[in-house]
Structures are given as structure tokens and as C-alpha cells.
Amino acid sequence: MSAVCELCFHHCTLDEGQTGLCRARANRDGQIVSINYGKLTALALDPIEKKPLRRFHPGSMILSVGSFGCNLRCPFCQNAAIAASGADIPTRDCPPEALVREAVRLRARGNIGVAYTYNEPLVGYEYVRDCAALVHEAGLKNVLVTNGTIEEQPWRALLPWIDAVNIDLKGFTAKWYRRLGGDLETVKRSIALAAQNCHVEVTTLIVPGENDSEDEMRALSAWLAAVRPDIPLHISRFFPRHHMTDRPPTPVKTVYRLADIAQENLQAVYTGNC
Ligand code: SF4
């Protein structure tokens, strides 16, 4: 029997045994299940600034976990080894209880909680939700680093468990988002909803010749300021990766110029990878 995954706007219709576009969800016995549940490809204690979050418990550490799969197809993906992989990638099993035990053990080293990151964590929605509840029970924080490509109802249901989020806003045109396999309006809605519920920071990777115009940054930062002018924006430099090796890294002066423009609208703008 076929089934439809309602987690993101792709609404994959999957036949029995078939896996969705994100490679992390599949039809098993007529039900959509997360096939990356508790299957970790990465586990590390990172500085919170690396997420990047600059205004949420600065100077602290956070236990960062990743699995596999993503519901976008960015040709410049910086984490393609895990984000563009499926269930055939080597993983280690880590049920929520074991993850939280590790997070609590690492308190002594400055850990404040768990960050769901590296691949797109929302395609493993159920794992994030189950871990996040236990993380809060243990008195720790939940941080999500996401592309924000999720339908409204599951996003609203998850947000009460999330303390801070960094959401990619990969540009500000529908055309660019279409090329990445995403939807600009969905991401804007995710940012706006998150801003009503938790600490939010936003990251924009500047790809030369694609989303690097001053007008686009003006529009992006003005929209973000209308959501809340104190949302920090991270403007990050592109390096050739994955399927986008046809151009040089973003010139540093472009990143600084776009940061100056964003600062006309926003109170906190940071440059990254410069
Ligand atoms: S989360 Fe994955 S399976 Fe579900 S609709 Fe999106 S891409 Fe398809």
C-alpha cells in the first residue's frame, strides 16, 4: 500500500519499501517511518559558536549529533558525505536514552545540551522529538541546525522542545530555492514561527553569481528585521564543494560588503569562513 509523507513540502508518495527524496524516511507496511532513527554518523562536543550560534550561551560547549539524509539538493553541500547519503552509510546505534546519558556525562566539560546538526535533522523528526523531551527532563538545552524545510504542523509541534535554532536562509529568491530543491516561503514561515518560540539565528551562504547581489541582501535583511531586528544573521563564504566546483570561493570583500548592507537593517550581523 502506498503512503504519503507529510513532513515536508515534497509530500513524497511512497510505495511499500520505497524511500523518500531525503533518503531518511520510507514506507514500511503502509506507514512512513524514519529509517535513520538513532543511527548516528557523527557525534562530537563542539563550541556552540561552531553551530553557528553567537548569542546563545556564548563560550559553552554542546554535544552535536548527526545522522544521514536531507530534503534539499544543494549542489554546494558542505556535508554531502552524510547529508547526501542513505541507509548504506556506516552508522552507530544511539537510542535517545544513551544520547542523553552522554550529554549529562559531558556537563563536566561545559556541555549545555544536544545540537541536532551535520545532516538535516528534521528528516529524522521522531529522533529529535524523542531526544529533545529527555534532554529537557535532564535540565539540558536543545539546539537545532536546520534548513527549515518542514510543514507547519510538525514544526509547531516540535518548537516547544527547542531552545535555540540556526536556520539556513539560502537566499531570497524563489528561483534559487527551486534550484536547491527547496521552497523559500516554507523557510520564511519556519523562521517566523521559530522567532515566536525560541532563540533564532539565521545563516546565509553567499555563492558567487547566484545569491550575491546587494539587492537580494537588502531584501533578505529587511524581511528578517521585520520578523525581529535582533535576529543575528551569519553571512558565510562559499568554498567549492560537492557538485559546485566550477567557481572560486566567494571574494572576502563581497561577504563584508553584504554584511554592511545587512547591518542597515539588523542589529547583529556576523561574517563566516572569512
Ligand atoms: S521528509 Fe523526506 S520523505 Fe518526507 S516528504 Fe520530505 S523528502 Fe519526502
Side-chain angles (χ1 to χ4, degrees):
M1 193 173 66
S2 73
V4 179
C5 177
E6 305 284 359
L7 189 60
C8 85
F9 81 101
H10 290 296
H11 292 168
C12 298
T13 301
L14 305 177
D15 291 332
E16 177 60 39
Q18 200 181 4
T19 302
L21 177 145
C22 60
R23 301 188 179 99
R25 307 179 72 76
N27 180 342
R28 298 272 191 274
D29 301 322
Q31 303 288 323
I32 300 292
V33 297
S34 157
I35 58 171
N36 67 357
Y37 190 100
K39 299 200 173 301
L40 302 190
T41 56
L43 182 70
L45 187 65
D46 284 342
I48 194 114
E49 286 79 4
K50 216 174 145 186
K51 300 302 98 192
L53 288 174
R54 291 289 287 268
R55 298 203 168 187
F56 184 75
H57 297 270
S60 63
M61 305 293 284
I62 192 141
L63 180 61
S64 302
V65 292
S67 184
F68 59 83
C70 183
N71 51 358
L72 297 186
R73 286 289 176 270
C74 304
F76 48 79
C77 182
Q78 314 281 303
N79 269 334
I82 54 173
S85 291
D88 50 347
I89 191 174
T91 59
R92 62 187 261 198
D93 287 334
C94 185
E97 296 75 11
L99 181 67
V100 176
R101 265 199 309 276
E102 182 65 358
V104 169
R105 187 183 74 79
L106 289 168
R107 255 187 182 142
R109 289 174 54 193
N111 182 39
I112 62 161
V114 173
Y116 311 91
T117 177
Y118 302 132
N119 71 312
E120 172 47 51
L122 291 176
V123 298
Y125 184 87
E126 295 79 0
Y127 185 67
V128 174
R129 181 196 62 198
D130 293 352
C131 291
L134 295 179
V135 164
H136 271 188
E137 269 176 34
L140 294 168
K141 306 288 187 200
N142 288 301
V143 165
L144 195 59
V145 182
T146 175
N147 62 34
T149 301
I150 184 168
E151 288 291 38
E152 181 173 350
Q153 187 278 331
W155 188 227
R156 281 187 185 275
L158 185 63
L159 279 170
W161 304 106
I162 302 302
D163 300 288
V165 63
N166 187 302
I167 303 183
D168 277 346
L169 181 55
K170 293 174 186 280
F172 211 62
T173 65
K175 186 175 164 213
W176 180 231
Y177 257 96
R178 266 198 303 277
R179 185 149 163 227
L180 310 181
D183 177 62
L184 174 60
E185 294 306 316
T186 297
V187 179
K188 286 165 68 181
R189 179 186 64 206
S190 294
I191 292 170
L193 284 172
Q196 295 167 13
N197 284 273
C198 65
H199 177 84
V200 178
E201 302 194 16
V202 167
T203 297
T204 301
L205 182 81
I206 303 299
V207 181
E210 305 291 351
N211 62 352
D212 58 349
S213 80
E214 296 185 4
D215 283 350
E216 187 166 342
M217 181 50 69
R218 227 168 249 118
L220 184 155
S221 56
W223 174 81
L224 197 56
V227 175
R228 262 199 2 227
D230 60 343
I231 293 177
L233 175 65
H234 300 259
I235 299 181
S236 192
R237 189 176 176 219
F238 156 92
F239 284 91
R241 294 271 188 285
H242 194 39
H243 298 313
M244 197 176 262
T245 53
D246 61 340
R247 63 199 78 196
T250 320
V252 172
K253 68 174 189 321
T254 303
V255 175
Y256 284 123
R257 173 73 191 129
L258 295 178
D260 285 345
I261 288 167
Q263 260 161 358
E264 292 167 11
N265 292 313
L266 292 163
Q267 294 164 11
V269 178
Y270 301 97
T271 54
N273 294 342
C274 286

